[in-house]
């Protein structure tokens, strides 16, 4: 058997240091060969890391990373920025010992050296980092050139120091900060309109403000400000139905203004409107039915947005329909949310969406609403509003051409009544049968 390259005496010394005095020669040779294999494995992995780093010099970090990859115990100690000097000491014949030489310190020179400067006390000062999005040019703030230099400085332990030379390049051009400045007239107009639409005491002011938003040209610069105004008011006034209603009127006026280009702002307009359609709690009194009028207005506005901006926002209808359907099928949502979701689905896609998304789910939805309809609890009125909304959206499935051909549905026709009950449930089916609209019954059963 070939003798190992690793010195067996080293292994024997380590064994004696841990209390193993009688190490057999064959065990010692096996340990030496295993040490050689492990060292070769670590070096091979370290060299691979060195080559991946595009270097020709092996670093101590490569060995540390190799040990980590091989799930071995890491090396302990610290890295030094200066080259280490090794000294040699002899502890016996043919047994040299290498050690790291420590720098000798002259105590006399250290004592006579001047004391360092006393550091300043910790203090705080305040300054403006930015004013309305513009950074003032004061000594505390970095200039554009300083920011450019910081971006070009090398970062990280493996950064190339030569990149620092690029920080002094003057061939780059910086784009100046742009501030959106409104004229005093537009600022005054914005304040007056916002004040007038929220004036509960004077209806003529509200009407004049909404009419101005609907017809006046030259309001392009104010569009994002009005949209932000609507979003803030809706977010912070969910309990105030007057404010929510006025915000829907403001949004409708902006959308109906033929002189304004609203397409880029559709994504910002939809969330406040959708909140008023399927919001969980609108108004102060949960038992009040006033919020249903707000949901009617918001659903109509949602349909207006879908019909007007479908071409510019291709995924607008699918996303809104998905949100409304999710709230309609959620049994944990209140009846007000179900009411708004039903009207919203009809406003988004018309009869096609009613036939595809609402009609197939009515039989299962009856399980949720039947107990409230038959009882005399506080939610009965809300449940009846939801049933009326269902009947209203189902009526849109009747063709316009056949609206004048409605005949009376004979109450004795039990087969058709039973078919309606099996199709949409007992409550809605009996409502359709009692309405006497044969065309509506035929449209539901098709």
């Amino acid at each position: 058997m070939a003798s190992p390259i690793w010195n067996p005496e080293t292994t024997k010394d380590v064994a004696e240091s841990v209390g193993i005095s009688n190490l057999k020669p064959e065990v010692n040779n096996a340990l030496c060969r295993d040490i050689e294999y492990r060292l070769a494995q670590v070096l091979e992995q370290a060299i691979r890391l060195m080559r991946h780093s595009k270097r020709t010099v092996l670093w101590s970090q490569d060995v540390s990373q190799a040990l980590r990859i091989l799930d071995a115990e890491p090396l302990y100690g610290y890295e030094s920025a200066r080259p280490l000097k090794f000294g040699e000491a002899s502890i016996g014949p043919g047994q040299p010992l290498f050690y790291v030489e420590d720098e000798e310190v002259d105590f006399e020179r250290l004592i006579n050296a001047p004391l360092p400067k006393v550091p300043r006390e910790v203090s705080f000062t305040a300054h403006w980092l930015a004013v309305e999005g513009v950074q003032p040019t004061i000594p505390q703030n970095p200039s554009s050139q300083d920011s450019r230099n910081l971006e070009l400085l090398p970062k990280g332990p493996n950064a190339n120091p030569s990149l620092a030379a690029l920080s002094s390049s003057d061939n780059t051009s910086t784009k100046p900060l742009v501030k959106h400045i409104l004229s005093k007239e537009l600022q005054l107009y914005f304040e007056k309109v916002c004040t007038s639409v929220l004036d509960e005491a004077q209806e003529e002011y509200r009407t004049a403000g909404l009419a101005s938003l609907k017809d006046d040209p030259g309001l392009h610069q104010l569009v994002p400000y009005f949209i932000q105004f609507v979003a803030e008011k809706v977010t912070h006034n969910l309990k105030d139905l007057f404010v929510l209603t006025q915000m829907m009127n403001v949004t409708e006026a902006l959308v109906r203004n033929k002189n304004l280009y609203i397409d880029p702002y559709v994504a910002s307009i939809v969330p406040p409107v959708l909140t008023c359609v399927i919001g969980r709690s609108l108004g102060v009194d949960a038992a009040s039915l006033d919020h249903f009028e707000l949901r009617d207005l918001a659903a109509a506005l949602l349909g207006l947005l879908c019909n007007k901006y479908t071409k510019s926002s291709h995924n607008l209808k699918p996303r809104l329909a998905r949100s409304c359907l999710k709230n309609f099928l959620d049994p944990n949502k209140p009846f007000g949310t179900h009411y708004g979701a039903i009207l919203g689905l009809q406003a988004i896609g018309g009869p096609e969406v009613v036939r595809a998304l609402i009609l197939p789910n009515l039989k299962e939805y009856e399980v949720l609403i039947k107990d409230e309809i038959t009882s005399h609890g506080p939610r009965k009125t809300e449940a009846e509003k939801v049933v009326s909304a269902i009947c209203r959206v189902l009526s849109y499935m009747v063709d316009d051409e056949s609206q004048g051909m409605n005949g009376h549905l004979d109450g004795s026709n039990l087969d058709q009544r039973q078919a309606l009950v099996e199709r949409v449930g007992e409550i809605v089916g009996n409502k359709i049968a009692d309405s006497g609209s044969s065309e509506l019954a035929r449209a539901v059963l098709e």
Side-chain angles (χ1 to χ4, degrees), residues 236-255:
H236 300 293
N237 296 275
L238 293 177
K239 300 298 182 181
D240 194 336
L241 292 178
F242 172 77
V243 175
L244 296 178
T245 302
Q246 289 303 110
M247 292 303 101
M248 293 300 100
N249 291 331
V250 170
T251 304
E252 183 180 4
L254 291 174
V255 173

Side-chain angles (χ1 to χ4, degrees), residues 299 302-303 306-307 316-318 320-321 324 343-350 353:
L302 199 64
C306 290
N307 295 331
L316 179 61
K317 281 188 176 182
L320 291 176
C324 291
L343 296 183
L345 285 172
Q346 188 278 324
I348 291 168
V353 172

Side-chain angles (χ1 to χ4, degrees), residues 409-423 429-430 433-434 441 445:
L409 182 63
D410 190 358
S412 63
N413 192 348
L414 298 179
D415 294 338
Q416 193 171 24
R417 181 181 291 269
Q418 185 63 28
L420 287 171
V421 171
E422 293 179 358
R423 174 67 168 162
N430 290 329
D434 295 338
L445 294 175

Side-chain angles (χ1 to χ4, degrees), residues 38 43 93 103 108 123 129 132 197 219 248 255 293 346 393 399:
R38 300 299 177 185
L43 289 175
E103 183 181 358
E108 184 177 357
S123 61
L129 181 62
E132 295 184 358
V197 296
L219 303 180
M248 293 300 100
V255 173
E293 297 180 3
Q346 188 278 324
V393 298
D399 296 336

Side-chain angles (χ1 to χ4, degrees), residues 12 15 23 31 37 79 183 194 220 232 271 300 333 340 357 378:
K12 188 176 180 180
L23 187 64
L31 285 175
Y37 170 74
E79 298 178 359
S183 62
C194 292
H220 302 281
E232 291 179 355
K333 297 291 184 179
L357 300 181

Side-chain angles (χ1 to χ4, degrees), residues 127 136-143 146:
H127 68 277
T137 55
I138 56 178
Q140 290 84 354
N141 288 336
S143 62
D146 295 337

Side-chain angles (χ1 to χ4, degrees), residues 324-332 338 341 357 361 364-365 368:
C324 291
L325 181 62
K326 180 180 177 181
N327 284 271
F328 172 53
L329 299 179
D330 190 351
N332 298 322
H338 294 166
L357 300 181
N361 296 297
E364 298 179 0
Y365 183 74
L368 176 64

